[in-house]
């Protein structure tokens, strides 16, 4: 028997994703973001989260999906992995569900255009609902991200 | 008993003792005849031993025990300190340090110390020592520990004291039966007595008493000037003492007493030696209070009174305090903004008052994090000593300004660069003795290590009187390494040539010693210091010596900055890197060899477009006829940043950008403005090559 875990559910477009609740520090509404120059395109900038400066990633951009305008459903999920705090901009986040790790299947080759290595697996919730479980350390892995050019004029 | 709760205390105190041992050993090395220093060393080693035994670190305890044996012979003048003894003791200290380090990192503090123990033992046995007599006497003293028997030396000290008109007392103290911490009470008695005289000999041995390894009675010989009754009432002033007998001795009674005890010593001996191994097991011995209190005593002795009233605070707690305070600072700026907008006099007054209070508070909070550079400097005398020995040179290290204070975060980082620089001075700066004599210099080289405040900076200088830096040799090497071109080399000033030593390519030279030897890893030193917001420069006179001057900011957490606007974005530029602000007309910008320059004072300086560098979406100075500029400085080079608008000067709290973002050139961190927005801090150094 696998263990019971709690999962935060959020949406990007038509798909539902899940992150283990113990990786999530807080979920915030959209807030002013300070742009950081010369960084990855999907890094939207940094926010002030109660005195701590935290970089914010557009998760759509990270997965190579088309970026959309923020709505009042847009949320910033603050996660903490490997001593790093990062905010994910997602289309909406509303649900917390209980999941048994046994119900997580290995990731299929391609899901919705997202490279499978970002995925921990796909969980089946109830009859119809499919939840894509993220592999957070891969999402935050920087080794594949190309080195930025130096600051030259 | 759970020892974990004492572990941090043990580690802290052990480090203190090791430090004091190192320092005092160095002092002793320069004054080998000062028995006072040996006493201090002995007590430190002794306390360390007690603590280690209590905590169950046996290797530590046994090594210190052997050191103590050697030191005991020295302080009783049965053994003269010699070079090989110093070397062995220093080696022991190194071993102790690495054991404590191991414990700090969660290890069990075990290490193979058998070879060091063996050499210590052979010193005690008198092997290798030139004074052959030490061996026999050494063994005697081991026996003399048992009983209140006195060895010849102690006896003659007492006897002589009587002749000189001092009072020699035999004191016997009986503790109350229900006394809880025998060792502590005994220690308190000792401390009381030591205030007005000297304890010559105790029974049982001091270390056994301190471990509570005695029944209820202990006795001692004591030399003082005070009245017998005075002493008696002082001892009774210590609580949980049942009775005390104080007998004043004269020549005859002393003689008699010693003979009597010598007779009983034989009978007592087996008993005591049997009890000794049990010492560790007794509950009192495990109580940390005795060693903890004991440890204060040597510090006081060394400092000549005036114990500093301090408490240890976890640095993380201070960080939390700092963070909370910075949030307060952000709110303060916000309040000031609101108050000035609302034009309510009462609110303005209150906010002004709050501003004053919080800036006082800011000073205090910053001061809390200040640590004297001594904490870094204190390991250098030992290092230089060892270096000088290995290099077979004579070097005096003179430290001044060790009390100068720096922020803890800077202190933690500055040690390694300084080690590099000092090694450089010792290795490549100071010449071997023969060369020095040939050059007409004293055979002992001097390295000055000094720290001092200047403005908002702390300077640390390392100056040697060695051979200095020869321009030709450096240039030759730099040309060979391709660090400079022929044309550049010809026009460089001496200072610029010296700075070449910090050039990255320069340090990779395999055999650098042929260039008056400088340059090993100096680029690393430089980048580390620059990363701390400081700078390092070299001044040198060939044949006379070299001076490395390290400039460091007082603190890394709060700085004064100029806030600027670029379209809708705000940035902060540290005031320390700003030379001037101004406005230029488009016509003043000249094009020189493809780059844009302006005339500033007597020179042409490059114009850097911040909007282009940072790809700012809604501002471009090309559209402006007049542009605000900030003239920034890196060392003695200048550049002008074109900006949109000035917002004003403000104190900002530096926040880092977290681990996720890569290092962004031109940005050194972020700060939170009064309105809660994040503004990036511009790293002006990155703009000037």
């Amino acid at each position: 028997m696998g263990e019971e875990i709690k999962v935060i559910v959020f949406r990007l477009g038509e798909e539902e994703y899940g992150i283990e609740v113990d990786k999530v520090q807080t979920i915030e509404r959209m807030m002013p973001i300070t742009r950081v120059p010369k960084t990855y395109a999907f890094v939207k900038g940094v926010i002030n989260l109660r005195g701590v400066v935290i970089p914010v990633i557009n998760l759509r951009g990270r997965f190579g999906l088309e970026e959309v305008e923020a709505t009042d459903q847009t949320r910033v999920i603050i996660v903490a992995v490997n001593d790093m705090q990062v905010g994910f901009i997602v289309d909406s986040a509303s649900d917390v569900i209980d999941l048994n790790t046994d119900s997580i299947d290995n990731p299929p080759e391609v899901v919705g255009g997202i490279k499978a290595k970002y995925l921990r697996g796909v969980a089946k919730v109830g009859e119809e609902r499919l939840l894509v479980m993220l592999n957070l350390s891969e999402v935050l892995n920087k080794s594949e991200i190309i080195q930025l050019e130096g600051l030259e004029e | 008993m759970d020892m974990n709760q004492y572990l941090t205390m043990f580690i802290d105190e052990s480090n203190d003792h090791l430090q004091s041992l190192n320092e005092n050993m160095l002092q002793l090395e320069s004054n080998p005849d000062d028995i006072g220093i040996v006493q201090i060393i002995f007590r430190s080693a002794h306390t360390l031993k007690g603590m280690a035994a209590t905590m169950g670190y046996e290797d530590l305890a046994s090594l210190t025990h052997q050191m103590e044996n050697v030191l005991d012979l020295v302080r009783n003048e049965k053994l003269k300190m010699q070079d090989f003894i110093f070397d062995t003791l220093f080696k022991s200290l190194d071993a102790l340090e690495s054991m404590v380090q191991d414990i700090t990192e969660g290890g069990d503090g075990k290490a193979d110390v058998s070879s060091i123990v063996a050499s210590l033992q052979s010193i005690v046995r008198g092997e290798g020592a030139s004074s052959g007599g030490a061996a026999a006497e050494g063994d005697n003293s081991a026996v003399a520990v048992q009983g209140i028997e006195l060895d010849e030396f102690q006896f003659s000290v007492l006897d002589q004291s009587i002749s000189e008109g001092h009072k020699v007392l035999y004191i016997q103290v009986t503790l109350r039966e229900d006394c809880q911490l025998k060792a502590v009470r005994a220690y308190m008695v000792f401390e009381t007595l030591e205030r007005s005289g000297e304890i010559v000999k105790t029974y049982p041995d001091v270390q056994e008493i301190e471990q509570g390894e005695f029944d209820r009675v202990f006795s001692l010989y004591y030399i003082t000037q005070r009245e017998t009754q005075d002493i008696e009432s002082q001892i009774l002033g210590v609580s949980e003492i049942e009775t005390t007998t104080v007998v004043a001795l004269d020549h005859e009674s002393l003689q008699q007493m010693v003979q009597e005890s010598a007779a009983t010593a034989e009978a007592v001996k087996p008993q005591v030696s049997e009890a000794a191994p049990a010492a560790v097991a007794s509950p009192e011995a495990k109580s940390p209070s005795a060693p903890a209190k004991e440890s204060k005593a040597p510090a006081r002795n060394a400092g000549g009174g005036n114990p500093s009233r301090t408490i240890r605070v976890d640095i993380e707690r201070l960080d939390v305090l700092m963070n909370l305070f910075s949030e307060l600072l952000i709110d303060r700026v916000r309040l000031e903004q609101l108050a000035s907008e609302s034009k309510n006099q009462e609110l303005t007054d209150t906010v002004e008052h709050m501003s004053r209070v919080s800036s006082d508070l800011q000073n205090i909070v910053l001061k809390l994090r200040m640590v004297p550079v001594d904490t870094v400097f204190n390991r250098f005398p030992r290092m230089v000593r060892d270096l000088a020995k290995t290099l077979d040179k004579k070097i005096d290290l003179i430290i001044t300004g060790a009390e100068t204070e720096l922020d803890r975060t800077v202190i933690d980082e500055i040690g390694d660069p300084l080690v590099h620089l000092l090694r450089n001075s010792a290795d490549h700066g100071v010449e071997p003795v023969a060369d020095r004599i040939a050059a007409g210099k004293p055979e002992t080289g001097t390295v000055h290590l000094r720290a001092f405040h200047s403005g908002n900076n702390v300077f640390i200088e390392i100056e040697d009187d060695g051979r200095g830096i020869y321009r030709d040799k450096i240039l030759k090497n730099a040309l060979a390494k391709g660090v400079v071109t022929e044309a550049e080399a010809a026009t460089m000033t001496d200072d610029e040539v010296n700075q070449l030593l910090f050039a990255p390519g320069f340090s990779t030279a395999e055999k650098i010693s042929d260039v008056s030897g400088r340059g090993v890893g100096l680029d690393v030193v430089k980048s580390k210091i620059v990363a701390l917001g400081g700078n390092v420069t070299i001044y040198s006179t060939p044949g006379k010596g070299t001076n490395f001057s390290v400039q460091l900011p007082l603190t890394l957490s709060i700085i004064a900055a100029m806030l600027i606007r670029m379209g809708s974005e705000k940035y902060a530029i540290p005031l320390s890197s700003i030379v001037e602000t101004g406005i230029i007309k488009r016509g003043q910008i000249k094009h020189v060899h493809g780059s844009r320059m302006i005339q500033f004072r007597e020179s042409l300086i490059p114009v850097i477009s911040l909007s282009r560098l940072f790809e700012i979406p809604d501002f471009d100075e090309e559209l402006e006829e007049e542009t605000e500029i900030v003239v920034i400085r890196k060392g003695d080079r200048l550049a002008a940043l074109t900006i949109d608008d000035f917002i004003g000067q403000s104190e900002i709290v530096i926040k880092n950008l977290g681990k996720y973002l890569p290092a962004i050139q031109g940005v050194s961190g972020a700060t939170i403005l009064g309105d809660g927005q994040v503004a990036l801090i511009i790293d002006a150094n990155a703009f000037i090559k």
Side-chain angles (χ1 to χ4, degrees):
Chain A
M1 254 325 253
E3 48 178 329
E4 290 287 326
I5 54 171
K6 278 199 188 300
V7 173
I8 303 266
V9 181
F10 63 89
R11 269 181 178 281
L12 288 181
E14 293 307 306
E15 306 229 21
E16 280 194 311
Y17 294 82
I19 304 179
E20 292 100 311
V21 78
D22 56 353
K23 303 270 168 53
V24 175
Q25 287 197 322
T26 161
I27 301 174
E28 301 284 325
R29 286 179 177 275
M30 202 54 184
M31 56 177 92
I33 298 178
T34 300
R35 189 183 68 94
V36 176
K38 299 263 167 189
T39 182
Y40 324 120
F42 55 81
V43 173
K44 289 294 113 185
V46 287
I47 54 165
N48 162 24
L49 185 75
R50 293 178 276 283
V52 183
V53 175
I54 296 177
V56 180
I57 297 176
N58 191 326
L59 212 52
R60 279 177 166 264
R62 183 72 182 96
F63 292 157
L65 303 175
E66 177 202 359
E67 296 191 15
V68 293
E69 284 288 309
T71 67
D72 50 336
Q73 292 297 305
T74 306
R75 291 291 180 274
V76 183
I77 303 182
I78 311 288
V79 300
V81 182
N82 307 336
D83 272 358
M84 286 190 284
Q85 278 185 309
V86 178
F88 290 148
I89 300 175
V90 299
D91 290 356
S92 67
S94 46
D95 218 355
V96 179
I97 58 166
D98 289 311
L99 204 66
N100 192 296
T101 46
D102 277 350
S103 67
I104 303 177
D105 291 331
N106 284 337
E109 281 300 297
V110 171
V111 176
I114 299 169
K115 289 203 182 102
K117 70 168 165 177
Y118 295 151
L119 308 183
R120 186 175 145 191
V122 177
K124 209 172 167 203
V125 185
E127 288 302 305
E128 290 290 296
R129 215 166 159 196
L130 283 180
L131 204 58
V132 182
M133 296 296 295
L134 285 186
N135 184 344
L136 274 191
S137 37
E138 273 306 322
V139 176
L140 295 180
N141 183 3
K142 286 179 290 182
S143 59
E144 57 160 316
I145 295 171
I146 337 106
Q147 277 297 306
L148 289 165
E149 292 157 53
L151 194 67
E152 307 277 344
E153 205 187 358
Chain B
M1 192 185 345
D2 177 22
M3 285 293 159
N4 272 333
Q5 53 176 320
Y6 301 120
L7 192 60
T8 9
M9 191 161 96
F10 169 75
I11 290 169
D12 284 348
E13 301 227 347
S14 300
N15 284 327
D16 284 355
H17 281 293
L18 285 172
Q19 187 53 46
S20 123
L21 281 167
N22 251 321
E23 277 166 17
N24 286 305
M25 284 285 289
L26 284 169
Q27 263 194 32
L28 185 63
E29 202 173 22
S30 41
N31 308 297
D33 294 325
D34 191 339
I35 295 300
I37 305 178
V38 183
Q39 294 285 14
I40 296 171
I41 297 176
F42 183 86
R43 297 190 65 166
S44 251
H46 182 65
T47 314
L48 194 58
K49 178 179 97 173
M51 284 167 23
T54 307
M55 299 291 293
Y57 298 118
E58 280 154 30
D59 286 349
L60 245 168
S62 78
L63 183 54
T64 28
H65 179 72
Q66 296 302 334
M67 286 177 70
E68 228 179 280
N69 284 348
V70 172
L71 291 166
D72 191 45
L73 293 182
V74 177
R75 68 171 182 167
N76 290 324
E77 300 194 11
K78 288 190 181 137
L79 185 67
K80 263 195 96 57
M81 285 306 275
Q82 292 171 41
D83 269 5
F84 75 95
I85 302 181
F86 275 113
D87 286 345
T88 319
L89 287 176
F90 273 126
K91 240 183 258 167
S92 319
L93 285 182
D94 288 344
L96 292 177
E97 251 165 53
S98 54
M99 285 188 227
V100 172
Q101 185 62 33
D102 181 47
I103 294 166
T104 313
E105 283 158 10
D108 55 5
K110 285 203 188 307
D112 181 19
V113 291
S114 51
S115 72
I116 303 178
V117 167
S119 31
L120 287 170
Q121 278 169 337
S122 75
I123 292 173
V124 173
R125 284 196 302 274
E127 290 162 15
S130 55
S131 57
E137 284 176 61
D139 283 341
N140 276 348
S141 86
V143 178
V145 168
Q146 290 132 13
I148 192 120
E149 190 186 23
L150 292 172
D151 60 41
E152 261 176 44
F153 172 68
Q154 289 159 336
F155 178 77
S156 71
V157 166
L158 291 177
D159 208 38
Q160 219 170 354
S161 302
I162 297 173
S163 312
E164 281 164 14
H166 296 282
K167 281 204 171 54
V168 171
L169 305 177
Y170 171 76
I171 301 175
Q172 190 169 16
V173 181
T174 310
L175 298 176
R176 289 225 315 254
E177 208 160 357
D178 56 351
C179 174
Q180 287 298 313
L181 294 163
K182 291 192 289 186
V184 177
R185 293 304 160 208
Y187 172 70
M188 286 166 75
V189 171
F190 285 6
E191 210 191 21
T192 315
L193 290 175
E194 268 168 355
R195 252 179 257 152
S196 44
E198 204 183 330
I199 297 169
V200 177
K201 178 85 194 170
T202 66
Y203 175 76
D205 197 81
V206 182
Q207 63 205 69
E208 287 168 43
I209 293 178
E210 278 176 3
Q211 292 179 350
E213 215 301 289
F214 63 103
D215 189 24
R216 274 167 57 211
V217 186
F218 61 93
S219 45
L220 50 95
Y221 284 111
Y222 180 60
I223 306 174
T224 184
Q225 292 279 29
R226 305 275 295 271
E227 288 302 320
T228 314
Q229 275 160 354
D230 252 353
I231 299 295
E232 194 168 348
S233 62
Q234 272 189 8
I235 295 173
L236 289 173
V238 177
S239 50
E240 296 193 271
I241 303 272
E242 194 164 84
T243 56
T244 179
T245 325
V246 180
V247 189
L249 301 175
D250 57 20
H251 290 292
E252 277 168 29
S253 53
L254 177 66
Q255 186 83 41
Q256 206 182 346
M257 197 148 234
V258 170
Q259 276 166 2
E260 269 175 26
S261 57
T264 53
E266 276 309 304
V268 177
K269 205 167 110 191
Q271 218 180 323
V272 173
S273 51
E274 207 175 85
V280 185
S282 80
E284 279 79 5
K286 288 197 175 184
S287 151
S289 52
K293 284 187 179 179
E294 162 75 24
S295 72
K296 300 295 179 292
R300 219 174 294 151
N301 287 351
N306 245 350
S308 65
R309 286 147 51 91
T310 54
I311 54 166
R312 284 183 203 279
V313 181
D314 189 345
I315 187 79
E316 277 173 23
R317 288 196 197 166
L318 281 185
D319 283 342
V320 173
L321 180 64
M322 191 73 198
N323 279 335
L324 288 174
F325 182 74
S326 44
E327 288 190 43
L328 195 66
L329 210 62
I330 292 161
D331 290 345
R332 182 187 97 186
V333 177
R334 177 76 181 135
L335 267 179
E336 282 170 351
Q337 222 171 321
L338 289 174
S340 71
E341 282 165 18
S342 75
K343 306 220 162 36
N344 175 333
Q345 192 55 42
E346 277 181 33
L347 178 63
T348 315
D349 289 349
T350 316
V351 169
E352 261 172 28
H353 182 251
M354 197 192 104
S355 299
R356 276 198 299 279
V357 172
S358 69
S359 48
D360 286 352
L361 197 56
Q362 177 181 337
N363 280 335
I364 301 262
V365 172
L366 283 179
K367 270 194 194 124
L368 282 184
R369 300 171 50 92
M370 298 300 257
V371 185
V373 284
D374 187 40
T375 50
V376 182
F377 282 8
N378 58 26
R379 60 175 151 139
F380 293 148
R382 172 68 199 285
M383 192 190 89
V384 171
R385 171 209 179 261
D386 290 355
L387 268 176
K389 279 218 144 195
T390 343
L391 298 166
D392 200 21
K393 293 178 180 176
K394 291 191 175 170
I395 303 173
D396 264 350
L397 177 68
I398 299 173
I399 294 180
T400 44
E403 71 287 347
T404 313
E405 289 184 325
L406 263 173
D407 190 285
R408 178 62 196 249
T409 45
V410 185
I411 290 271
D412 288 346
E413 301 290 324
I414 196 63
D416 290 344
L418 289 182
V419 166
H420 259 288
L421 293 177
L422 269 174
R423 280 183 163 277
N424 232 285
S425 287
D427 195 0
H428 307 306
V430 176
E431 313 92 326
V433 173
D435 294 9
R436 290 187 65 89
I437 295 172
K441 294 182 183 176
E443 58 178 51
T444 305
T446 312
V447 177
H448 284 273
L449 174 61
R450 51 178 99 82
F452 55 89
H453 282 286
S454 174
N456 252 342
N457 289 295
V458 167
F459 286 83
I460 298 178
E461 291 187 345
I462 294 162
E463 184 177 359
D464 65 62
D465 63 348
R467 53 168 81 95
I469 298 170
Y470 287 91
R471 176 191 172 98
D472 299 347
K473 289 186 179 175
I474 294 191
L475 279 181
K476 208 174 114 196
N477 201 297
L479 285 171
K481 295 268 175 288
V483 178
V484 289
T485 63
E486 292 272 2
E488 280 172 340
T491 59
M492 287 175 94
T493 66
D494 285 355
D495 276 345
E496 281 168 347
V497 173
N498 290 345
Q499 294 298 328
L500 278 180
L501 295 176
F502 292 118
F506 206 78
S507 64
T508 52
E510 327 81 73
K511 196 166 180 285
I512 202 81
S513 322
D514 54 342
V515 194
S516 86
R518 309 255 177 188
V520 182
L522 283 184
D523 62 322
V524 185
V525 170
K526 172 114 183 177
S527 55
K528 182 97 191 195
I529 291 169
V530 169
L532 288 173
N535 200 7
V536 54
T537 37
I538 314 178
Y539 308 96
S540 176
T541 318
K544 291 268 173 61
T546 308
N547 183 347
F548 290 98
S549 178
V550 179
Q551 180 191 344
L552 293 164
L554 271 183
T555 173
L556 293 179
S557 14
I558 296 183
I559 56 166
M562 171 68 78
L563 297 181
I564 58 154
R565 196 193 313 279
M566 299 291 292
S568 58
E569 298 182 354
K570 292 173 184 171
Y571 292 90
I573 307 178
L575 276 194
S576 57
S577 51
I578 297 182
V579 181
E580 209 172 282
T581 57
I583 299 179
I584 53 165
K585 292 203 165 57
R586 191 204 289 250
Q588 284 174 276
I589 300 180
K590 300 179 171 61
H591 290 263
V592 182
H593 199 67
S595 37
R596 302 187 310 152
M597 312 280 269
I598 54 161
Q599 182 82 27
F600 178 74
R601 308 243 168 94
E602 258 81 71
S603 51
L604 274 179
I605 61 171
V607 177
I608 297 168
S609 166
L610 200 59
S611 62
R612 270 189 243 162
L613 278 179
F614 283 178
E615 294 153 359
I616 289 170
D618 48 5
F619 170 72
D620 188 355
E621 71 271 2
E622 286 302 309
L623 306 172
E624 298 199 325
E625 195 47 43
E626 276 188 339
T627 305
E628 279 82 357
I629 56 161
V630 179
V631 180
I632 54 169
R633 172 187 54 200
K634 176 191 184 184
D636 45 8
R637 281 184 245 183
L638 303 174
L641 283 182
T642 52
I643 59 153
D644 184 357
D645 204 1
F646 298 108
I647 299 172
Q649 194 180 319
S650 174
E651 301 241 293
I652 58 167
V653 180
I654 301 176
K655 306 259 177 183
N656 67 39
L657 289 172
K659 285 190 182 168
Y660 180 73
L661 290 178
I664 298 160
Q665 242 186 326
V667 175
S668 61
T671 187
I672 296 169
L673 302 175
D675 58 6
Q677 286 264 19
V678 180
L680 298 180
I681 301 171
I682 289 175
D683 174 16
N685 276 333
F687 296 135
I688 304 177
K689 293 274 148 58

